[in-house]
PDB file of all heavy atoms in Angstrom:
ATOM      1  N   ARG A  50    -113.959 -30.538 -35.171  1.00 85.00           N
ATOM      2  CA  ARG A  50    -112.785 -29.846 -35.701  1.00 85.00           C
ATOM      3  C   ARG A  50    -113.202 -28.777 -36.709  1.00 85.00           C
ATOM      4  O   ARG A  50    -112.686 -27.662 -36.684  1.00 85.00           O
ATOM      5  CB  ARG A  50    -111.831 -30.840 -36.338  1.00 85.00           C
ATOM      6  CG  ARG A  50    -110.582 -30.213 -36.910  1.00 85.00           C
ATOM      7  CD  ARG A  50    -109.643 -31.290 -37.438  1.00 85.00           C
ATOM      8  NE  ARG A  50    -108.647 -30.754 -38.310  1.00 85.00           N
ATOM      9  CZ  ARG A  50    -107.482 -30.278 -37.917  1.00 85.00           C
ATOM     10  NH1 ARG A  50    -107.170 -30.296 -36.642  1.00 85.00           N
ATOM     11  NH2 ARG A  50    -106.613 -29.805 -38.783  1.00 85.00           N
ATOM     12  N   GLN A  54    -112.565 -24.784 -36.329  1.00 85.00           N
ATOM     13  CA  GLN A  54    -111.845 -23.996 -37.322  1.00 85.00           C
ATOM     14  C   GLN A  54    -112.675 -22.826 -37.825  1.00 85.00           C
ATOM     15  O   GLN A  54    -112.167 -21.712 -37.950  1.00 85.00           O
ATOM     16  CB  GLN A  54    -111.409 -24.886 -38.483  1.00 85.00           C
ATOM     17  CG  GLN A  54    -110.257 -25.791 -38.116  1.00 85.00           C
ATOM     18  CD  GLN A  54    -109.795 -26.646 -39.277  1.00 85.00           C
ATOM     19  OE1 GLN A  54    -110.540 -26.883 -40.221  1.00 85.00           O
ATOM     20  NE2 GLN A  54    -108.560 -27.108 -39.198  1.00 85.00           N
ATOM     21  N   HIS A  55    -113.952 -23.045 -38.095  1.00 87.00           N
ATOM     22  CA  HIS A  55    -114.806 -21.938 -38.532  1.00 87.00           C
ATOM     23  C   HIS A  55    -114.987 -20.919 -37.405  1.00 87.00           C
ATOM     24  O   HIS A  55    -114.972 -19.709 -37.652  1.00 87.00           O
ATOM     25  CB  HIS A  55    -116.159 -22.454 -39.007  1.00 87.00           C
ATOM     26  CG  HIS A  55    -116.088 -23.159 -40.323  1.00 87.00           C
ATOM     27  ND1 HIS A  55    -115.884 -22.511 -41.508  1.00 87.00           N
ATOM     28  CD2 HIS A  55    -116.183 -24.472 -40.637  1.00 87.00           C
ATOM     29  CE1 HIS A  55    -115.858 -23.377 -42.500  1.00 87.00           C
ATOM     30  NE2 HIS A  55    -116.038 -24.589 -41.995  1.00 87.00           N
ATOM     31  N   THR A  58    -111.824 -18.839 -37.033  1.00 89.00           N
ATOM     32  CA  THR A  58    -111.708 -17.827 -38.081  1.00 89.00           C
ATOM     33  C   THR A  58    -112.541 -16.595 -37.722  1.00 89.00           C
ATOM     34  O   THR A  58    -112.064 -15.464 -37.824  1.00 89.00           O
ATOM     35  CB  THR A  58    -112.168 -18.400 -39.436  1.00 89.00           C
ATOM     36  OG1 THR A  58    -111.401 -19.572 -39.709  1.00 89.00           O
ATOM     37  CG2 THR A  58    -111.973 -17.411 -40.546  1.00 89.00           C
ATOM     38  N   ASP A 118    -105.491 -27.526 -32.188  1.00 84.00           N
ATOM     39  CA  ASP A 118    -105.752 -27.189 -33.583  1.00 84.00           C
ATOM     40  C   ASP A 118    -104.596 -26.326 -34.084  1.00 84.00           C
ATOM     41  O   ASP A 118    -104.125 -25.441 -33.358  1.00 84.00           O
ATOM     42  CB  ASP A 118    -107.072 -26.413 -33.683  1.00 84.00           C
ATOM     43  CG  ASP A 118    -107.476 -26.169 -35.109  1.00 84.00           C
ATOM     44  OD1 ASP A 118    -108.026 -27.095 -35.722  1.00 84.00           O
ATOM     45  OD2 ASP A 118    -107.230 -25.049 -35.609  1.00 84.00           O
ATOM     46  N   PRO A 119    -104.119 -26.556 -35.303  1.00 85.00           N
ATOM     47  CA  PRO A 119    -102.995 -25.754 -35.807  1.00 85.00           C
ATOM     48  C   PRO A 119    -103.293 -24.254 -35.851  1.00 85.00           C
ATOM     49  O   PRO A 119    -102.397 -23.439 -35.597  1.00 85.00           O
ATOM     50  CB  PRO A 119    -102.766 -26.298 -37.226  1.00 85.00           C
ATOM     51  CG  PRO A 119    -103.405 -27.632 -37.254  1.00 85.00           C
ATOM     52  CD  PRO A 119    -104.506 -27.610 -36.234  1.00 85.00           C
ATOM     53  N   LEU A 120    -104.512 -23.888 -36.157  1.00 83.00           N
ATOM     54  CA  LEU A 120    -104.862 -22.469 -36.183  1.00 83.00           C
ATOM     55  C   LEU A 120    -104.800 -21.870 -34.781  1.00 83.00           C
ATOM     56  O   LEU A 120    -104.302 -20.756 -34.602  1.00 83.00           O
ATOM     57  CB  LEU A 120    -106.252 -22.281 -36.790  1.00 83.00           C
ATOM     58  CG  LEU A 120    -106.755 -20.856 -36.892  1.00 83.00           C
ATOM     59  CD1 LEU A 120    -105.789 -19.998 -37.698  1.00 83.00           C
ATOM     60  CD2 LEU A 120    -108.135 -20.830 -37.527  1.00 83.00           C
ATOM     61  N   GLN A 123    -101.242 -21.124 -33.963  1.00 85.00           N
ATOM     62  CA  GLN A 123    -100.735 -19.907 -34.576  1.00 85.00           C
ATOM     63  C   GLN A 123    -101.248 -18.662 -33.867  1.00 85.00           C
ATOM     64  O   GLN A 123    -100.494 -17.713 -33.631  1.00 85.00           O
ATOM     65  CB  GLN A 123    -101.114 -19.870 -36.052  1.00 85.00           C
ATOM     66  CG  GLN A 123    -100.408 -20.925 -36.870  1.00 85.00           C
ATOM     67  CD  GLN A 123    -100.884 -20.948 -38.311  1.00 85.00           C
ATOM     68  OE1 GLN A 123    -101.890 -20.339 -38.664  1.00 85.00           O
ATOM     69  NE2 GLN A 123    -100.154 -21.661 -39.154  1.00 85.00           N
ATOM     70  N   GLU A 145    -103.958 -11.093 -41.537  1.00 86.00           N
ATOM     71  CA  GLU A 145    -103.409 -12.017 -42.531  1.00 86.00           C
ATOM     72  C   GLU A 145    -103.730 -13.466 -42.169  1.00 86.00           C
ATOM     73  O   GLU A 145    -104.024 -14.279 -43.055  1.00 86.00           O
ATOM     74  CB  GLU A 145    -101.899 -11.826 -42.656  1.00 86.00           C
ATOM     75  CG  GLU A 145    -101.523 -10.524 -43.337  1.00 86.00           C
ATOM     76  CD  GLU A 145    -100.031 -10.341 -43.468  1.00 86.00           C
ATOM     77  OE1 GLU A 145     -99.286 -11.344 -43.387  1.00 86.00           O
ATOM     78  OE2 GLU A 145     -99.606  -9.188 -43.654  1.00 86.00           O
ATOM     79  N   LEU A 146    -103.698 -13.776 -40.889  1.00 85.00           N
ATOM     80  CA  LEU A 146    -104.024 -15.136 -40.442  1.00 85.00           C
ATOM     81  C   LEU A 146    -105.478 -15.480 -40.756  1.00 85.00           C
ATOM     82  O   LEU A 146    -105.778 -16.576 -41.235  1.00 85.00           O
ATOM     83  CB  LEU A 146    -103.740 -15.270 -38.948  1.00 85.00           C
ATOM     84  CG  LEU A 146    -103.845 -16.651 -38.339  1.00 85.00           C
ATOM     85  CD1 LEU A 146    -102.894 -17.618 -39.017  1.00 85.00           C
ATOM     86  CD2 LEU A 146    -103.515 -16.565 -36.854  1.00 85.00           C
ATOM     87  N   ALA A 147    -106.378 -14.535 -40.528  1.00 85.00           N
ATOM     88  CA  ALA A 147    -107.797 -14.763 -40.837  1.00 85.00           C
ATOM     89  C   ALA A 147    -108.007 -14.938 -42.335  1.00 85.00           C
ATOM     90  O   ALA A 147    -108.759 -15.823 -42.774  1.00 85.00           O
ATOM     91  CB  ALA A 147    -108.645 -13.605 -40.317  1.00 85.00           C
ATOM     92  N   GLU A 148    -107.324 -14.128 -43.124  1.00 87.00           N
ATOM     93  CA  GLU A 148    -107.461 -14.230 -44.579  1.00 87.00           C
ATOM     94  C   GLU A 148    -106.944 -15.574 -45.095  1.00 87.00           C
ATOM     95  O   GLU A 148    -107.604 -16.238 -45.898  1.00 87.00           O
ATOM     96  CB  GLU A 148    -106.685 -13.082 -45.233  1.00 87.00           C
ATOM     97  CG  GLU A 148    -106.824 -13.026 -46.731  1.00 87.00           C
ATOM     98  CD  GLU A 148    -106.040 -11.858 -47.309  1.00 87.00           C
ATOM     99  OE1 GLU A 148    -106.056 -10.767 -46.707  1.00 87.00           O
ATOM    100  OE2 GLU A 148    -105.421 -12.055 -48.364  1.00 87.00           O
ATOM    101  N   LYS A 149    -105.784 -15.987 -44.624  1.00 86.00           N
ATOM    102  CA  LYS A 149    -105.213 -17.269 -45.058  1.00 86.00           C
ATOM    103  C   LYS A 149    -106.078 -18.441 -44.594  1.00 86.00           C
ATOM    104  O   LYS A 149    -106.263 -19.417 -45.318  1.00 86.00           O
ATOM    105  CB  LYS A 149    -103.795 -17.438 -44.517  1.00 86.00           C
ATOM    106  CG  LYS A 149    -102.834 -16.364 -44.896  1.00 86.00           C
ATOM    107  CD  LYS A 149    -102.352 -16.515 -46.304  1.00 86.00           C
ATOM    108  CE  LYS A 149    -101.216 -15.558 -46.542  1.00 86.00           C
ATOM    109  NZ  LYS A 149    -101.382 -14.661 -47.628  1.00 86.00           N
ATOM    110  N   THR A 150    -106.628 -18.332 -43.393  1.00 84.00           N
ATOM    111  CA  THR A 150    -107.467 -19.401 -42.867  1.00 84.00           C
ATOM    112  C   THR A 150    -108.755 -19.522 -43.657  1.00 84.00           C
ATOM    113  O   THR A 150    -109.213 -20.630 -43.939  1.00 84.00           O
ATOM    114  CB  THR A 150    -107.767 -19.147 -41.385  1.00 84.00           C
ATOM    115  OG1 THR A 150    -106.535 -19.029 -40.684  1.00 84.00           O
ATOM    116  CG2 THR A 150    -108.574 -20.267 -40.793  1.00 84.00           C
ATOM    117  N   ARG A 151    -109.356 -18.397 -44.008  1.00 86.00           N
ATOM    118  CA  ARG A 151    -110.566 -18.447 -44.834  1.00 86.00           C
ATOM    119  C   ARG A 151    -110.285 -19.131 -46.165  1.00 86.00           C
ATOM    120  O   ARG A 151    -111.076 -19.948 -46.631  1.00 86.00           O
ATOM    121  CB  ARG A 151    -111.093 -17.036 -45.087  1.00 86.00           C
ATOM    122  CG  ARG A 151    -111.869 -16.473 -43.956  1.00 86.00           C
ATOM    123  CD  ARG A 151    -112.582 -15.202 -44.395  1.00 86.00           C
ATOM    124  NE  ARG A 151    -112.968 -14.454 -43.244  1.00 86.00           N
ATOM    125  CZ  ARG A 151    -112.574 -13.215 -42.977  1.00 86.00           C
ATOM    126  NH1 ARG A 151    -111.787 -12.566 -43.796  1.00 86.00           N
ATOM    127  NH2 ARG A 151    -112.979 -12.604 -41.885  1.00 86.00           N
ATOM    128  N   ALA A 152    -109.160 -18.805 -46.770  1.00 87.00           N
ATOM    129  CA  ALA A 152    -108.813 -19.424 -48.050  1.00 87.00           C
ATOM    130  C   ALA A 152    -108.589 -20.925 -47.878  1.00 87.00           C
ATOM    131  O   ALA A 152    -109.043 -21.733 -48.696  1.00 87.00           O
ATOM    132  CB  ALA A 152    -107.564 -18.765 -48.626  1.00 87.00           C
ATOM    133  N   GLU A 153    -107.906 -21.313 -46.808  1.00 85.00           N
ATOM    134  CA  GLU A 153    -107.656 -22.733 -46.551  1.00 85.00           C
ATOM    135  C   GLU A 153    -108.958 -23.486 -46.283  1.00 85.00           C
ATOM    136  O   GLU A 153    -109.157 -24.600 -46.777  1.00 85.00           O
ATOM    137  CB  GLU A 153    -106.709 -22.894 -45.371  1.00 85.00           C
ATOM    138  CG  GLU A 153    -106.323 -24.319 -45.098  1.00 85.00           C
ATOM    139  CD  GLU A 153    -105.335 -24.450 -43.953  1.00 85.00           C
ATOM    140  OE1 GLU A 153    -104.594 -23.502 -43.682  1.00 85.00           O
ATOM    141  OE2 GLU A 153    -105.331 -25.521 -43.332  1.00 85.00           O
ATOM    142  N   LEU A 154    -109.859 -22.888 -45.516  1.00 83.00           N
ATOM    143  CA  LEU A 154    -111.145 -23.531 -45.252  1.00 83.00           C
ATOM    144  C   LEU A 154    -111.984 -23.660 -46.521  1.00 83.00           C
ATOM    145  O   LEU A 154    -112.692 -24.654 -46.704  1.00 83.00           O
ATOM    146  CB  LEU A 154    -111.917 -22.765 -44.175  1.00 83.00           C
ATOM    147  CG  LEU A 154    -111.369 -22.871 -42.761  1.00 83.00           C
ATOM    148  CD1 LEU A 154    -112.163 -21.978 -41.815  1.00 83.00           C
ATOM    149  CD2 LEU A 154    -111.368 -24.299 -42.276  1.00 83.00           C
ATOM    150  N   ALA A 155    -111.887 -22.683 -47.402  1.00 85.00           N
ATOM    151  CA  ALA A 155    -112.608 -22.780 -48.672  1.00 85.00           C
ATOM    152  C   ALA A 155    -112.081 -23.943 -49.502  1.00 85.00           C
ATOM    153  O   ALA A 155    -112.858 -24.691 -50.112  1.00 85.00           O
ATOM    154  CB  ALA A 155    -112.487 -21.471 -49.448  1.00 85.00           C
ATOM    155  N   VAL A 156    -110.763 -24.120 -49.502  1.00 87.00           N
ATOM    156  CA  VAL A 156    -110.176 -25.241 -50.237  1.00 87.00           C
ATOM    157  C   VAL A 156    -110.608 -26.566 -49.603  1.00 87.00           C
ATOM    158  O   VAL A 156    -110.958 -27.524 -50.310  1.00 87.00           O
ATOM    159  CB  VAL A 156    -108.636 -25.118 -50.270  1.00 87.00           C
ATOM    160  CG1 VAL A 156    -107.989 -26.396 -50.771  1.00 87.00           C
ATOM    161  CG2 VAL A 156    -108.223 -23.945 -51.138  1.00 87.00           C
ATOM    162  N   GLN A 157    -110.603 -26.640 -48.279  1.00 83.00           N
ATOM    163  CA  GLN A 157    -111.024 -27.867 -47.601  1.00 83.00           C
ATOM    164  C   GLN A 157    -112.496 -28.181 -47.884  1.00 83.00           C
ATOM    165  O   GLN A 157    -112.856 -29.336 -48.105  1.00 83.00           O
ATOM    166  CB  GLN A 157    -110.796 -27.752 -46.095  1.00 83.00           C
ATOM    167  CG  GLN A 157    -109.348 -27.818 -45.702  1.00 83.00           C
ATOM    168  CD  GLN A 157    -109.148 -27.624 -44.213  1.00 83.00           C
ATOM    169  OE1 GLN A 157    -110.099 -27.442 -43.454  1.00 83.00           O
ATOM    170  NE2 GLN A 157    -107.894 -27.652 -43.785  1.00 83.00           N
ATOM    171  N   ASN A 158    -113.351 -27.169 -47.879  1.00 82.00           N
ATOM    172  CA  ASN A 158    -114.770 -27.381 -48.182  1.00 82.00           C
ATOM    173  C   ASN A 158    -114.953 -27.851 -49.623  1.00 82.00           C
ATOM    174  O   ASN A 158    -115.780 -28.721 -49.899  1.00 82.00           O
ATOM    175  CB  ASN A 158    -115.574 -26.108 -47.929  1.00 82.00           C
ATOM    176  CG  ASN A 158    -115.719 -25.813 -46.460  1.00 82.00           C
ATOM    177  OD1 ASN A 158    -115.614 -26.692 -45.620  1.00 82.00           O
ATOM    178  ND2 ASN A 158    -115.946 -24.550 -46.147  1.00 82.00           N
ATOM    179  N   GLU A 159    -114.180 -27.281 -50.526  1.00 86.00           N
ATOM    180  CA  GLU A 159    -114.259 -27.704 -51.925  1.00 86.00           C
ATOM    181  C   GLU A 159    -113.787 -29.150 -52.071  1.00 86.00           C
ATOM    182  O   GLU A 159    -114.377 -29.935 -52.815  1.00 86.00           O
ATOM    183  CB  GLU A 159    -113.400 -26.778 -52.790  1.00 86.00           C
ATOM    184  CG  GLU A 159    -113.542 -27.022 -54.272  1.00 86.00           C
ATOM    185  CD  GLU A 159    -112.758 -26.008 -55.081  1.00 86.00           C
ATOM    186  OE1 GLU A 159    -112.647 -24.845 -54.652  1.00 86.00           O
ATOM    187  OE2 GLU A 159    -112.254 -26.391 -56.149  1.00 86.00           O
ATOM    188  N   LEU A 160    -112.739 -29.510 -51.336  1.00 86.00           N
ATOM    189  CA  LEU A 160    -112.240 -30.881 -51.374  1.00 86.00           C
ATOM    190  C   LEU A 160    -113.276 -31.855 -50.823  1.00 86.00           C
ATOM    191  O   LEU A 160    -113.504 -32.923 -51.405  1.00 86.00           O
ATOM    192  CB  LEU A 160    -110.939 -30.995 -50.581  1.00 86.00           C
ATOM    193  CG  LEU A 160    -110.295 -32.370 -50.501  1.00 86.00           C
ATOM    194  CD1 LEU A 160    -109.899 -32.849 -51.891  1.00 86.00           C
ATOM    195  CD2 LEU A 160    -109.088 -32.326 -49.590  1.00 86.00           C
ATOM    196  N   ARG A 161    -113.930 -31.502 -49.720  1.00 83.00           N
ATOM    197  CA  ARG A 161    -114.980 -32.363 -49.163  1.00 83.00           C
ATOM    198  C   ARG A 161    -116.136 -32.523 -50.155  1.00 83.00           C
ATOM    199  O   ARG A 161    -116.694 -33.609 -50.308  1.00 83.00           O
ATOM    200  CB  ARG A 161    -115.498 -31.792 -47.850  1.00 83.00           C
ATOM    201  CG  ARG A 161    -114.571 -32.012 -46.696  1.00 83.00           C
ATOM    202  CD  ARG A 161    -115.219 -31.618 -45.374  1.00 83.00           C
ATOM    203  NE  ARG A 161    -114.211 -31.512 -44.358  1.00 83.00           N
ATOM    204  CZ  ARG A 161    -113.769 -30.369 -43.835  1.00 83.00           C
ATOM    205  NH1 ARG A 161    -114.294 -29.225 -44.207  1.00 83.00           N
ATOM    206  NH2 ARG A 161    -112.834 -30.370 -42.911  1.00 83.00           N
TER     207      ARG A 161
END
Side-chain angles (χ1 to χ4, degrees):
R50 180 176 164 88
Q54 286 182 338
H55 288 288
T58 304
D118 186 80
L120 180 57
Q123 292 175 348
E145 289 180 20
L146 188 59
E148 184 179 319
K149 303 283 190 236
T150 303
R151 280 191 198 120
E153 184 178 334
L154 289 176
V156 168
Q157 288 177 0
N158 288 337
E159 187 175 327
L160 179 62
R161 284 189 195 107

